[in-house]
Amino acid sequence: MASENGITAASAKFPKPADKTFQYGTAGYFQTISPKSTPAHPSLGDSSLLDSVVFRVGLLAALRSRKLNGQVIGVMITASHNPPDDNGVKLVDPMGEMLEASWESHATTLANASSDQELAKAYAKLEVDLMVKSAVQARVVFARDTRASGPRLVSALVGALEATKTEYTDYKLLTTPQLHYITRCLNTKGTDFEYGDPTEDGYYEKTATAFKAALGGRKPNGGVTVDCANGVGGPKLRELVKHLASVAEGGLDIKIVNDDVLKPERLNHQCGADFVKTGQRAPPSSQAGQLTRCASLDGDADRIVYYFIDSDGTFRLLDGDRIATLAALFIGDLAKSAGLSEKLKVGVVQTAYANGASTDYVNHHLKLPVVCTNTGVKHLHHAATKFEVGVYFEANGHGTVVFSDLALKRITKYTPQSPAQSAALGTLRALTKLINQTVGDALSDLLLVEVILAHKGWGPKEWDLTYTDLPNRLVRVEVRDRYIFKAVDAERKLESPLGVQGQIDALVGKYKNGRSFARASGTEDAVRVYAEAATRGEADDLASKVAGLVRQAGS
């Protein structure tokens, strides 16, 4: 365990910017907060400001590991879908989940200590307050994406780990989900809950083997073009493809585009999941043909959206809502076919941004329960664990399926009563291996979608026809102080400013299938207004009028 002097000396190499305040965000990343200044990029921070933050995250990772009796903690350096100059960092808990919520305040405390000496004192205080055993050997694993600032930030992290005498392993370039996978594997190795081989190759082998088993001899219905956002997902998908059956062997034909990681400035530039979702159009470089199945990853490959160009030339997005409903439909049908429908309760978790048509489809067509949570993957993941099989995806394409220990036990030990039940059970068992249950994983989710489409014999058009999205609009409104906008009811209602929600409700009531809400940004002085209605014109009009209310209240 490091002395206060040791931490002070090490921290001096990575001084905190005097005028910056940092906060642990909804997805685990640190964010640069300047409440009264020009809004920065959403979600993450300018990489030049983060050296001190990454150093201090290293201190927290060491504390967290020691507190958990030496279990391995993961640290991922990435800024996901953000521009190349941004970067961020997050902690991964032992089972591959995000940092326990109660520790987020400790992260913020360390990140904002005003000096090296104050940091050492804050660290020592946490050590006492949390009853951390200094004799326990701390263990940390870490990785980064392809951003140019990554190696510099790794140096800051290593500085903290060495100052705290932490045992560490640098996995170099990985997707975020791969680091989550490895963290869980390391902590479950040799137990009854062993998750897999804790290596990058182990990830590929497990995923590829499960994909083959889940297909059950079926051939994919055509190929898929995958836009990798010029991020780490490109080379990692190429490695995964090496482990899959070739096209000549009846395997999936995966065409990889936008996988240039040699020019960091191209990361997420006119490509990637966020570009497609926000712009409602295909990346210019994808050259998507009509009815060609296409998918886009984000910069660290933890989210994915599908899309295609219809026969009339119309762009059609198949986002996280679509992936969630497809997965819920398939898993629900498998449970029935296997004779397990009464023993596996499947539920879907969404946020307020989920299209109302998708919620209606799950409730009334699939007849499955839907839970709405606050925005942020940690909220969805937590809610999904309350189901025996919890399906969660944000509309942006970040999500996964979580199987409870009870569900896994029932799936593993159930004895099928017929060949049909046996086949369905085999597919269900394979899905529990194919799906990365630790976190949203674009590569795993890609293969999950391809398995389902192969079983159903669907192309993208058939998938799109399962329900019709309500036209919707998302508007960003700049305000003087976002903190006056307080949301409740899973962020679907405004508690303050007083009276604004009543005005929004009055507007919504004037539109067929109308729904709208306003939610303060977590990273900038802006409020995001979402609206949907029966027609495009009505959705646009509703969004504009609600945005006007917000602008007036925030001026």
Side-chain angles (χ1 to χ4, degrees), residues 173-442:
L173 294 176
L174 289 179
T175 69
T176 292
Q178 286 177 327
L179 184 74
H180 282 254
Y181 163 86
I182 286 172
T183 302
R184 182 164 178 165
C185 289
L186 287 167
N187 286 303
T188 57
K189 190 173 179 65
T191 73
D192 292 340
F193 304 99
E194 192 161 322
Y195 195 63
D197 177 27
T199 64
E200 186 179 341
D201 274 344
Y203 170 91
Y204 299 131
E205 285 292 342
K206 179 181 179 180
T207 304
T209 300
F211 179 60
K212 180 178 180 180
L215 282 173
R218 294 169 179 79
K219 290 188 177 181
N221 186 16
V224 58
T225 297
V226 184
D227 153 36
C228 296
N230 293 316
V232 68
K236 301 311 179 185
L237 179 55
R238 288 198 181 279
E239 284 300 314
L240 177 57
V241 167
K242 294 176 184 177
H243 292 75
L244 303 177
S246 67
V247 176
E249 297 168 325
L252 176 63
D253 183 11
I254 300 177
K255 178 186 176 185
I256 298 173
V257 298
N258 295 325
D259 64 334
D260 183 359
V261 297
L262 298 179
K263 298 175 182 175
E265 67 274 11
R266 298 188 65 179
L267 176 66
N268 293 320
H269 179 65
Q270 291 198 318
C271 59
D274 193 58
F275 174 87
V276 172
K277 172 67 175 170
T278 304
Q280 298 284 306
R281 61 190 177 105
S285 53
S286 72
Q287 301 177 337
Q290 288 187 344
L291 300 179
T292 299
R293 200 158 65 251
C294 300
S296 284
L297 321 182
D298 68 338
D300 65 336
D302 68 353
R303 65 171 75 171
I304 183 171
V305 296
Y306 269 74
Y307 49 94
F308 69 101
I309 307 299
D310 209 342
S311 53
D312 62 0
T314 303
F315 173 84
R316 305 292 297 175
L317 178 66
L318 298 161
D319 62 7
D321 294 343
R322 294 281 181 175
I323 298 173
T325 54
L326 184 70
L329 165 66
F330 187 57
I331 292 171
D333 285 349
L334 284 177
K336 290 175 188 174
S337 298
L340 282 168
S341 58
E342 295 303 314
K343 296 183 178 181
L344 291 181
K345 299 303 179 185
V346 181
V348 177
V349 184
Q350 297 181 324
T351 71
Y353 289 107
N355 194 279
S358 72
T359 308
D360 186 72
Y361 176 77
V362 175
N363 275 325
H364 297 109
H365 182 79
L366 301 184
K367 301 189 183 307
L368 296 174
V370 178
V371 171
C372 187
T373 73
N374 285 0
T375 301
V377 177
K378 65 182 180 183
H379 299 299
L380 284 96
H381 191 95
H382 179 72
T385 62
K386 304 300 182 184
F387 292 105
E388 285 161 5
V389 182
V391 181
Y392 76 85
F393 277 84
E394 291 186 293
N396 63 24
H398 193 159
T400 189
V401 182
V402 180
F403 295 83
S404 71
D405 289 342
L406 180 60
L408 291 172
K409 184 177 180 180
R410 286 173 172 168
I411 292 168
T412 301
K413 296 193 173 182
Y414 182 72
T415 302
Q417 305 301 308
S418 68
Q421 284 193 0
S422 181
L425 187 64
T427 303
L428 195 55
R429 287 171 176 167
L431 290 187
T432 67
K433 305 292 186 185
L434 174 62
I435 295 165
N436 186 344
Q437 297 179 53
T438 66
V439 73
D441 183 340

Side-chain angles (χ1 to χ4, degrees), residues 32-43:
T32 306
I33 304 174
S34 304
K36 303 301 178 184
S37 65
T38 303
H41 290 302
S43 299

